[in-house]
Amino acid sequence: MNPDDEARDARGDLSAGEAAPSGGRDVWRSRLVAALPGLVLIVIGVLGFLVVYDSVRERDDLWFTDDVVLEWMVAHRSATATTVLTFITNMFGPVVLPILVAVGCLWWGLATKRWWEPGLLVGAMITSTIVSTVLKAVVARPRPDESAMVVAGVEHSFSFPSGHTIGAATLVLVGGYLVWRQWREGRQRRIVFALWVVVSVVVIVVVGGSRLYLGYHFVTDVLAGASLAVAVLGGVVVIDRLHDLRQESQVPI
């Protein structure tokens, strides 16, 4: 090999050596940008939960609202409201909600021939259930006194966080996100986003409020459940956006 060829080979090796780290940095930068919205949601959800948990553990701040709100709810019950909110709480309970989610996701997958989105929703619901169950056992907070419950003796698990709230919040937050992401741009995307926010707030407030009204939970239980659902949404957003990045760029994630 003549000196010119050797020089060209050396320059080529140097260029390749310089390009690889740059290319690697670009890949990680793309991953970070894609995952950033989800990571922010995870941080917000976890911090929100920790703030509520600290209040419960230290018996200060938000903890002071627990008995006040519970007593007010008990004092303002009516037959109609009790019937309606009992139906709502049963629909989002550990028996009915899993069946509705399973049937809905099966229909979603068969109708669209896409299983990624329904799979993410099912995974999110399972994750939220596991998180709620583990934290209930770890925190071991007793429920309100049975005298405050509409039907005493029907709840036997611990109180913190509210499983109904985290389940309902995960369903509307993650389900709404998976629907919203189908619209890439335009006015419809903004309308869907607004509907997603409104429906999520209404469902979380109504389901969480039903648990308070019926005397099965405290305010801090409900706030903790909603915060954890935001963190679960963040995890779904991270996974989904990294998946999209891989599909678009064929970069191994």
Side-chain angles (χ1 to χ4, degrees):
M1 179 181 295
N2 61 48
D4 291 340
D5 291 338
E6 291 178 356
R8 282 195 296 272
D9 290 343
R11 286 194 298 272
D13 292 341
L14 180 59
S15 298
E18 292 174 348
S22 176
R25 286 194 296 271
D26 289 343
V27 170
W28 282 106
R29 188 179 299 112
S30 298
R31 292 173 178 174
L32 179 59
V33 170
L36 187 58
L39 294 175
V40 170
L41 288 171
I42 292 173
V43 171
I44 291 173
V46 171
L47 286 179
F49 172 80
L50 291 176
V51 168
V52 177
Y53 172 67
D54 182 69
S55 296
V56 172
R57 184 171 61 87
E58 298 294 334
R59 296 194 170 193
D60 58 12
D61 300 330
L62 292 170
W63 178 81
F64 288 112
T65 66
D66 283 344
D67 288 335
V68 174
V69 173
L70 181 63
E71 290 172 4
W72 188 91
M73 290 285 188
V74 172
H76 291 81
R77 285 174 180 159
S78 69
T80 301
T82 299
T83 300
V84 171
L85 293 177
T86 298
F87 173 79
I88 290 173
T89 206
N90 288 337
M91 291 298 292
F92 287 91
V95 176
V96 178
L97 186 60
I99 296 173
L100 294 178
V101 171
V103 172
C105 287
L106 180 61
W107 174 84
W108 189 353
L110 292 174
T112 63
K113 301 297 188 288
R114 286 175 55 90
W115 294 97
W116 176 252
E117 288 81 6
L120 279 178
L121 181 55
V122 170
M125 297 301 294
I126 293 173
T127 299
S128 67
T129 300
I130 293 173
V131 168
S132 174
T133 302
V134 171
L135 288 174
K136 280 178 183 288
V138 170
V139 178
R141 183 190 197 185
R143 288 185 183 266
D145 189 81
E146 288 191 349
S147 62
M149 298 180 181
V150 169
V151 180
V154 299
E155 298 287 358
H156 303 287
S157 63
F158 290 114
S159 188
F160 186 91
S162 167
H164 282 68
T165 304
I166 190 176
T170 299
L171 176 62
V172 292
L173 290 175
V174 174
Y177 164 75
L178 294 173
V179 172
W180 170 75
R181 69 187 284 278
Q182 305 300 317
W183 277 267
R184 296 297 180 182
E185 59 184 16
R187 182 169 176 269
Q188 285 186 327
R189 181 179 174 87
R190 293 191 293 273
I191 293 174
V192 172
F193 180 82
L195 288 173
W196 170 29
V197 172
V198 171
V199 170
S200 295
V201 170
V202 170
V203 170
I204 293 170
V205 169
V206 170
V207 175
S210 75
R211 304 303 288 164
L212 302 176
Y213 176 90
L214 297 173
Y216 300 135
H217 279 291
F218 297 107
V219 171
T220 46
D221 300 336
V222 170
L223 293 176
S227 297
L228 291 170
V230 172
V232 172
L233 170 63
V236 169
V237 172
V238 169
I239 295 170
D240 184 55
R241 288 175 66 89
L242 290 178
H243 174 265
D244 284 350
L245 179 64
R246 181 177 182 178
Q247 295 294 103
E248 292 170 3
S249 62
Q250 296 302 309
V251 176
I253 303 301

